[in-house]
Amino acid sequence: MVDLPNCPKCNSEYTYEDGSLLVCPECAYEWTLESESNEDENVIKDANGNVLNDGDSVTVIKDLKVKGSSSSIKIGTKVKNIRLIHNPSDGHDIDCKIDGFGAMKLKSSVVKKA
């Protein structure tokens, strides 16, 4: 029998697996083993490994094609006042407004902290 960890919320020992999730029958808390082992999962880092925060300014490190537009975002474009998206569904974890393009989402791997 596999030893499952106690519930991180109520410390119940009666946890069970439901697919890829672990479930606590006492408090109904659900979590994954990956999030248990990865303590800094909500930390978003730029291409250089610097931690990003809401309100930071970043610089684009490579030319980016914009879907539906004939122009592109050029390398060195500065983006101010970013908002971070934790657990994005499409991999774009930065929400921002770029002058000349408007509101859009970026991946943290194509920016560096300014």
Side-chain angles (χ1 to χ4, degrees), residues 64 66 69-74 77 97-104:
L64 303 173
V66 179
S69 176
S70 59
S71 58
S72 63
I73 299 172
K74 299 293 182 191
T77 302
K97 288 183 182 175
I98 299 177
D99 292 337
F101 291 96
M104 64 178 42

Side-chain angles (χ1 to χ4, degrees), residues 48-68:
N48 295 333
N50 298 318
V51 176
L52 296 173
N53 297 305
D54 284 335
D56 282 347
S57 294
V58 295
T59 305
V60 177
I61 61 170
K62 67 182 222 178
D63 289 344
L64 303 173
K65 294 180 183 176
V66 179
K67 208 178 223 183

Side-chain angles (χ1 to χ4, degrees), residues 11-71:
N11 205 29
S12 170
E13 62 184 23
Y14 302 110
T15 58
Y16 63 92
E17 287 183 280
D18 185 18
S20 63
L21 292 175
L22 294 174
V23 181
C24 175
E26 293 183 7
C27 69
Y29 183 69
E30 297 178 347
W31 74 101
T32 61
L33 281 176
E34 292 82 34
S35 65
E36 186 78 14
S37 63
N38 189 3
E39 296 171 358
D40 58 355
E41 72 180 62
N42 288 331
V43 174
I44 297 175
K45 297 182 179 182
D46 69 357
N48 295 333
N50 298 318
V51 176
L52 296 173
N53 297 305
D54 284 335
D56 282 347
S57 294
V58 295
T59 305
V60 177
I61 61 170
K62 67 182 222 178
D63 289 344
L64 303 173
K65 294 180 183 176
V66 179
K67 208 178 223 183
S69 176
S70 59
S71 58

